[in-house]
């Protein structure tokens, strides 16, 4: 294992004074940063980062000023406006600004709003996508977000809207019918209500669900449960946000793909959790 990484030879873009780069930091593990993110961290004068960005990632920008813009979901949008305008001020002051957000900046991250404000103020921007928790976080739990035998679509939903309530605009019945796999961001607060709506819409109370907290970090925890028992099980396990909740049969794949457990020397729990009874190579 090496302590340093040199960026591969490539013509990397330059973060110029007066620019803002909106960048995803991935779900936690610094290894899930993109090379563009690493290149940005190296050049920034100031890094404005969110609560979900792991602190050790900031160590990649020792030359920069680190500004915490922590904000949890459901807070008034005035704060969001302050952050966007702060980015405008820094850019106008001629700084090389890196706005670092957890996961992907355009997935439930308000990156679209910040980028729009910047453009409206004439600030040049670059967007650097990141690995979203709803994909990478599940992968670290051994759950493939799509699997040929399970789903041909996946729906990403947020568990609360701007006012902090379960999103009223979501048509839970349609989501329930149309999407075999549902990945819920920010779902912990209203999980009882969400699970209830899904069951009401026809999903089975025995449907498998996984809750992955602080995914991809050393503190990652995974709870395997069902729609009918999730609320109690989360409470019993003492799980806290941030959490990604995955509803659907793909959760069962963890029984064979829990690669962290396999790496620890444990055998797979079930080689054929979907009961297809065929070796993968013949498929
Ligand atoms: N832009 C981010 C999502 C921001 S919304 C992304 O693309 O991942 C914040 C929500 O993301 C959290 O409430 C949680 O549901 C999820 N999340 C982000 N990082 C996570 C992590 N490491 N583990 C589990 N959930 C995470």
């Amino acid at each position: 294992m090496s302590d340093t990484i040199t960026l591969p030879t490539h013509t990397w873009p330059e973060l110029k004074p007066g620019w803002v780069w909106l960048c995803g930091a991935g779900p936690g593990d610094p290894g899930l940063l993109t090379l563009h993110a690493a290149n940005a961290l190296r050049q920034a004068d100031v890094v404005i980062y969110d609560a979900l960005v792991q602190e050790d990632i900031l160590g990649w920008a020792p030359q920069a000023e680190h500004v915490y813009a922590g904000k949890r979901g459901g807070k008034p949008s005035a704060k969001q406006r302050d952050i966007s305008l702060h980015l405008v001020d820094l850019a106008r002051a001629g700084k090389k600004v890196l706005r670092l957000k957890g996961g992907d900046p355009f997935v439930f991250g308000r990156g679209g709003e910040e980028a729009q404000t910047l453009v409206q103020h004439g600030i040049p921007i670059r967007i650097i996508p990141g690995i979203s928790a709803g994909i990478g976080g599940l992968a670290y739990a051994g759950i493939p977000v799509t699997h040929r035998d399970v789903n041909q679509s996946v729906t990403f939903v947020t568990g609360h809207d701007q006012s902090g309530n379960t999103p009223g605009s979501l048509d839970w019945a349609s989501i329930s019918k149309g999407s075999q796999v549902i990945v819920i961001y920010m779902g912990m607060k209203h999980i009882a209500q969400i699970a209830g709506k899904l069951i009401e819409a026809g999903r089975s109370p025995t449907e498998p669900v996984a809750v992955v907290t602080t995914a991809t970090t050393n503190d990652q925890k995974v709870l395997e449960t069902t729609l009918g028992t999730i609320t109690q099980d989360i409470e019993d396990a003492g799980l806290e946000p941030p959490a990604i909740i995955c509803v659907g049969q793909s959760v069962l794949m963890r029984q064979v793909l829990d690669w962290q457990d396999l790496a620890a020397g444990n055998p797979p729990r079930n080689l054929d959790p979907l009961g297809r009874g065929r070796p993968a190579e013949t498929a």
Side-chain angles (χ1 to χ4, degrees):
M1 299 243 179
S2 111
D3 279 346
T4 55
I5 287 184
T6 311
L7 281 180
T9 305
H10 177 71
T11 313
W12 295 104
E14 184 191 343
L15 174 47
K16 299 198 180 84
W19 281 64
V20 178
W21 285 5
L22 262 97
C23 177
D29 181 349
L32 297 177
L33 285 169
T34 63
L35 295 176
H36 272 305
N39 174 52
L41 281 159
R42 240 170 229 197
Q43 300 181 63
D45 291 328
V46 50
V47 181
I48 317 277
Y49 66 100
D50 276 354
L52 288 171
V53 172
Q54 293 293 303
E55 298 270 335
D56 44 355
I57 286 174
L58 298 169
W60 292 36
Q63 80 291 348
E65 185 190 344
H66 303 161
V67 180
Y68 176 67
K71 188 168 59 60
R72 288 288 182 183
K75 296 261 173 74
S77 52
K79 185 105 191 274
Q80 178 62 54
R81 180 126 195 96
D82 288 349
I83 295 170
S84 300
L85 293 177
H86 187 42
L87 295 173
V88 171
D89 288 345
L90 287 167
R92 288 200 172 141
K95 300 282 188 198
K96 303 174 193 174
V97 186
L98 176 58
R99 173 67 171 123
L100 197 59
K101 299 170 87 72
D104 182 283
F106 279 1
V107 178
F108 300 130
R110 302 181 191 176
E113 293 162 53
E114 289 180 22
Q116 184 179 6
T117 304
L118 291 164
V119 173
Q120 285 171 343
H121 286 80
I123 307 295
I125 60 166
R126 181 183 184 102
I127 307 296
I128 303 176
I131 294 181
S132 192
I135 298 177
L138 292 181
Y140 265 48
I143 299 168
V145 79
T146 75
H147 184 290
R148 211 153 51 114
D149 287 336
V150 172
N151 59 325
Q152 287 69 50
S153 69
V154 55
T155 302
F156 297 100
V157 299
T158 170
H160 56 65
D161 60 18
Q162 287 188 350
S163 62
N165 298 316
T166 314
S169 59
L170 282 180
D171 180 348
W172 291 97
S174 297
I175 294 170
S176 167
K177 281 199 189 66
S179 190
Q180 299 101 324
V181 174
I182 304 165
V183 177
I184 306 164
Y185 290 69
M186 297 174 273
M188 293 289 262
K189 192 164 163 213
H190 298 300
I191 191 58
Q193 221 183 327
I194 293 168
K197 280 176 192 279
L198 290 172
I199 292 170
E200 205 175 287
R203 302 293 279 240
S204 165
T206 62
E207 174 141 12
V209 182
V211 181
V212 189
T213 65
T214 49
T216 82
T217 72
N218 292 334
D219 299 325
Q220 171 173 302
K221 292 195 182 70
V222 185
L223 169 72
E224 292 175 39
T225 174
T226 64
L227 265 188
T229 52
I230 185 169
T231 310
Q232 190 62 50
D233 284 351
I234 286 177
E235 200 181 315
D236 292 349
L239 294 184
E240 298 282 346
I244 281 293
I245 300 171
C246 180
V247 179
Q249 299 295 317
S250 47
V251 167
L252 299 178
M253 288 299 290
R254 179 171 152 79
Q255 295 172 11
V256 63
L257 298 181
D258 182 359
W259 54 271
Q260 303 204 46
D261 197 46
L262 299 176
N266 296 314
R269 279 182 282 158
N270 181 350
L271 283 175
D272 183 22
L274 298 174
R276 293 300 183 267
R278 65 176 191 211
E281 65 269 21
T282 65

